[in-house]
Amino acid sequence: PNSQSIYTSTVQLIASKLEIIEVYNLLSQKNNFIQNKNHHDKFKDFKFLKMKSVSFKYKKNTEFILDKVNITINKGEKIAIIGASGSGKSCLLDLMLGFTKPNLGKIEINNLELNEFNSHNWYKRISYVPQDVFLMDNSLIENITFKEVSNLKETQRFMDILDRASLIEATKSWQDGLKRVLGERGRYISGGQKQRIGVARALHKESDVIFLDEATSALDEKMEKKIINNLISNYPETTLIAITHRQELLKNFDKIYKVENKNLFEITKY
């Protein structure tokens, strides 16, 4: 039991690395934050993300997982990323997110290179929804907003987000409704409900870019399609970058890229 608890906690920490890295950067890079505060304005109005000949490997003596990758993703584009297991899809997302640094090449946001000095500002503009969403032993509202909803305007916006994340019906069946306590790591709700809460959390943040790392994999085909369609149709200005294995979803995206042979290729027909 103790070993299982340690393993489960480790997985949850990995899934929550965006929040952890953001806190770490804010605490450990105070001087950099002050010296580079002008970077925030350059990230605020997101226009594009560009990878220029990016190569990455985990250890010096191993082969590159990704080699000389080039891609430009513009504001509002809906991008699907596919590829075999172990091909480097999650590694690609980690680089775009700023979780890891390229060994070669560079990543630019609005012509500004993403690095350790400005990554905390990038985190403010993005949301990352993993397969296994970290939830607190608290209410649904607080797990999405990290605070209480205090007025009518906030309540209406919150209900709209629940609707677009397909959570309305679930809350109607809960005895405590929106105030239901979800339990440690969300143990009182299903895996699909946890993933929908992760999507709702990203929508509440109003991020410029939302990254989905197989974030709807626990949902049935009909529910997954509904949520992806909601994201695409209701948020035209939001950039969506999603790793998915569901072929039937691909036609909804503007572009499809396949990670294969250490590189990234646009798929025009699938």
Side-chain angles (χ1 to χ4, degrees):
N2 289 335
S3 297
Q4 181 62 36
S5 179
I6 292 170
Y7 171 76
T8 303
S9 297
T10 301
V11 171
Q12 292 288 350
L13 285 170
I14 293 171
S16 306
K17 57 187 173 182
L18 178 56
E19 291 87 353
I20 293 169
I21 291 174
E22 182 172 353
V23 170
Y24 173 81
N25 281 334
L26 289 174
L27 291 175
S28 65
Q29 298 180 5
K30 182 177 180 181
N31 291 334
N32 290 333
F33 177 81
I34 294 171
Q35 294 168 7
N36 295 278
K37 60 184 179 180
N38 61 307
H39 290 311
H40 176 64
D41 292 333
K42 293 181 180 180
F43 284 150
K44 188 175 181 180
D45 184 18
F46 174 76
K47 293 180 176 65
F48 64 85
L49 178 153
K50 183 176 290 188
M51 300 182 78
K52 294 184 174 181
S53 298
V54 168
S55 298
F56 177 80
K57 58 183 177 180
Y58 287 108
K59 295 180 180 179
K60 292 182 179 179
N61 297 326
T62 58
E63 293 185 0
F64 283 112
I65 299 170
L66 298 170
D67 191 18
K68 298 178 182 177
V69 172
N70 292 282
I71 185 175
T72 299
I73 299 174
N74 296 305
K75 178 179 180 178
E77 284 189 322
K78 309 302 189 273
I79 306 296
I81 297 173
I82 61 173
S85 179
S87 61
K89 301 185 300 297
S90 291
C91 177
L92 180 70
L93 245 62
D94 285 348
L95 287 162
M96 291 180 179
L97 286 158
F99 292 161
T100 53
K101 294 173 58 179
N103 298 97
L104 299 171
K106 61 181 179 178
I107 300 169
E108 293 181 348
I109 314 296
N110 300 349
N111 286 322
L112 178 67
E113 183 174 0
L114 182 63
N115 56 44
E116 66 270 22
F117 301 115
N118 57 33
S119 58
H120 55 277
N121 287 322
W122 177 230
Y123 300 150
K124 295 176 184 178
R125 313 309 309 168
I126 64 177
S127 288
Y128 169 62
V129 188
Q131 263 187 301
D132 190 9
V133 176
F134 177 78
L135 296 179
M136 304 176 291
D137 187 14
N138 219 320
S139 71
L140 173 69
I141 295 175
E142 289 168 312
N143 267 286
I144 292 174
T145 68
F146 299 106
K147 64 177 184 178
E148 288 289 348
V149 175
S150 59
N151 58 54
L152 183 62
K153 184 177 180 180
E154 284 186 1
T155 300
Q156 184 57 56
R157 177 169 174 264
F158 182 76
M159 295 306 294
D160 288 342
I161 288 170
L162 288 188
D163 182 45
R164 289 170 182 178
S166 295
L167 279 165
I168 294 290
E169 290 303 315
T171 61
K172 287 180 179 178
S173 66
W174 295 346
Q175 185 175 358
D176 298 325
L178 302 181
K179 294 184 178 181
R180 177 175 181 172
V181 175
L182 305 182
E184 186 179 0
R185 302 186 183 95
R187 61 177 178 159
Y188 298 144
I189 61 175
S190 69
Q193 289 170 345
K194 287 175 65 176
Q195 289 191 335
R196 280 178 273 171
I197 290 170
V199 171
R201 185 183 287 171
L203 295 179
H204 184 269
K205 186 180 176 182
E206 296 185 317
S207 302
D208 292 328
V209 186
I210 296 177
F211 294 86
L212 304 180
D213 192 351
E214 298 190 53
T216 55
S217 59
L219 303 175
D220 61 52
E221 181 181 328
K222 183 178 179 181
M223 181 62 71
E224 184 177 34
K225 185 176 181 180
K226 180 180 179 181
I227 290 175
I228 293 298
N229 284 341
N230 283 343
L231 291 175
I232 291 173
S233 60
N234 290 301
Y235 299 90
E237 298 296 311
T238 301
T239 304
L240 182 65
I241 304 171
I243 292 177
T244 181
H245 287 299
R246 300 277 178 91
Q247 294 185 20
E248 60 274 9
L249 293 177
L250 297 179
K251 63 182 180 181
N252 299 312
F253 289 86
D254 297 323
K255 295 178 181 178
I256 305 165
Y257 289 92
K258 186 174 185 179
V259 182
E260 189 175 48
N261 297 327
K262 305 178 186 180
N263 216 305
L264 194 62
F265 305 93
E266 185 174 358
I267 305 297
T268 54
K269 292 183 180 181
Y270 193 81

